[in-house]
Amino acid sequence: MRGFALTHRAGVTHMRVWSFLIIAAVMAFPCHVLTATNIGSPPLPPPRPTEQPLHPTPQDNAPAEQSKPNPAIDQACLDRLGDALITFEAVTLPLPANPRCAIETPVRLKTVMSSNGRGPILLPDRPTVSCHFGERFGHWLRDLVAPLIFGELAVELKSVRTGPGYECRNRNRAEDGKISAHASGLAIDVGSFELSNGRMLAFAPKGDEHMRATVDAIRVAACGWFTTVLGPGSDEAHTDHMHVDILQHGSSDRFRICQ
């Protein structure tokens, strides 16, 4: 009986030890790990992003539509042209191939009323220029050129040949280099002045010293109105006409190129 008692006690003690170990093991793990929900529902991976097609659709390949410039119209300038009795036509130009060829408020000049009111000065080439340049050019013809010609030659200025004015090109029509002032509508090439007596006052007059002196006076005086004045003798590109523009050189509009 004693041996059984010892064995029984030893068994009881052994069961108590195992019970303690089981309870300790249960307490060692967080409760949420042992819940049925976590045991039966393992975490799912995040959803895959929507796959993009390996090859773009034709619509994706289509180039973006080129945005067309929509420059603001300087209505105040247009009003000043009308007040100065400079007749013109506001025009819309097609989008140029070269984005550097941009003209603000383009106008096509027709006539400039003379200062004495005896009639208009005709512009038969109908040059297209920016309104800002057209205003300067019109006042130059009316307030300087026409009075100077009448004072020197006692004859009225009838018309002025100018060429097209606006042209999308480089300076002196070079293949590369700086863009011309013509490409911004800020320049005109004056070819000749037609007088009311039928004579032509060209920039390379021959045989008439009085006519030559008149042309020289017009050319010199133009430097007070324009930032660039180029004529015969300046280079090979201006042997038969006078180029005038209002393109700013450097940081100041006071700088002049007069050749």
Side-chain angles (χ1 to χ4, degrees):
M1 292 295 293
R2 184 179 179 180
F4 172 79
L6 291 174
T7 302
H8 176 72
R9 290 177 182 177
V12 172
T13 301
H14 185 70
M15 291 180 62
R16 288 177 178 176
V17 171
W18 277 105
S19 298
F20 175 78
L21 292 176
I22 292 173
I23 294 173
V26 171
M27 294 179 65
F29 290 93
C31 294
H32 70 273
V33 175
L34 299 178
T35 60
T37 302
N38 287 319
I39 292 175
S41 303
L44 298 176
R48 296 178 63 183
T50 303
E51 295 183 357
Q52 299 295 330
L54 296 178
H55 301 285
T57 63
Q59 182 177 1
D60 296 328
N61 281 330
E65 182 180 356
Q66 186 178 8
S67 59
K68 295 183 178 180
N70 186 24
I73 299 299
D74 189 348
Q75 186 60 48
C77 181
L78 298 177
D79 293 340
R80 290 193 301 270
L81 284 184
D83 294 340
L85 302 181
I86 301 172
T87 61
F88 65 94
E89 176 188 0
V91 297
T92 301
L93 300 178
L95 188 66
N98 188 339
R100 296 187 299 170
C101 298
I103 177 172
E104 297 183 2
T105 314
V107 295
R108 185 172 293 123
L109 301 180
K110 298 180 179 180
T111 65
V112 178
M113 181 60 66
S114 59
S115 58
N116 57 20
R118 294 182 181 178
I121 303 168
L122 306 179
L123 300 171
D125 294 326
R126 299 288 193 269
T128 298
V129 295
S130 72
C131 179
H132 182 52
F133 179 84
E135 185 179 12
R136 180 73 58 87
F137 184 74
H139 279 284
W140 176 67
L141 288 181
R142 187 187 65 189
D143 301 334
L144 186 142
V145 177
L148 193 153
I149 289 176
F150 186 80
E152 289 293 327
L153 305 176
V155 65
E156 298 289 343
L157 174 60
K158 180 180 179 180
S159 68
V160 183
R161 303 310 300 253
T162 62
Y166 171 75
E167 289 185 274
C168 183
R169 60 175 174 83
N170 293 328
R171 291 181 182 176
N172 298 334
R173 304 184 186 278
E175 292 295 331
D176 53 15
K178 294 184 177 180
I179 198 76
S180 171
H182 287 275
S184 301
L186 300 177
I188 269 182
D189 291 333
V190 181
S192 61
F193 302 103
E194 183 183 359
L195 309 180
S196 59
N197 61 5
R199 300 188 68 180
M200 193 70 67
L201 185 60
F203 275 91
K206 299 178 180 179
D208 191 323
E209 293 299 325
H210 196 187
M211 298 277 278
R212 181 182 296 277
T214 302
V215 169
D216 290 342
I218 292 173
R219 183 173 173 179
V220 172
C223 293
W225 292 73
F226 305 99
T227 58
T228 307
V229 178
L230 302 173
S234 60
D235 55 33
E236 294 182 357
H238 301 89
T239 58
D240 60 352
H241 67 276
M242 182 177 71
H243 167 96
V244 295
D245 71 52
I246 56 172
L247 192 67
Q248 182 170 314
H249 306 289
S251 59
S252 173
D253 60 357
R254 297 179 180 274
F255 187 83
R256 295 290 190 271
I257 297 176
C258 294
Q259 299 176 357

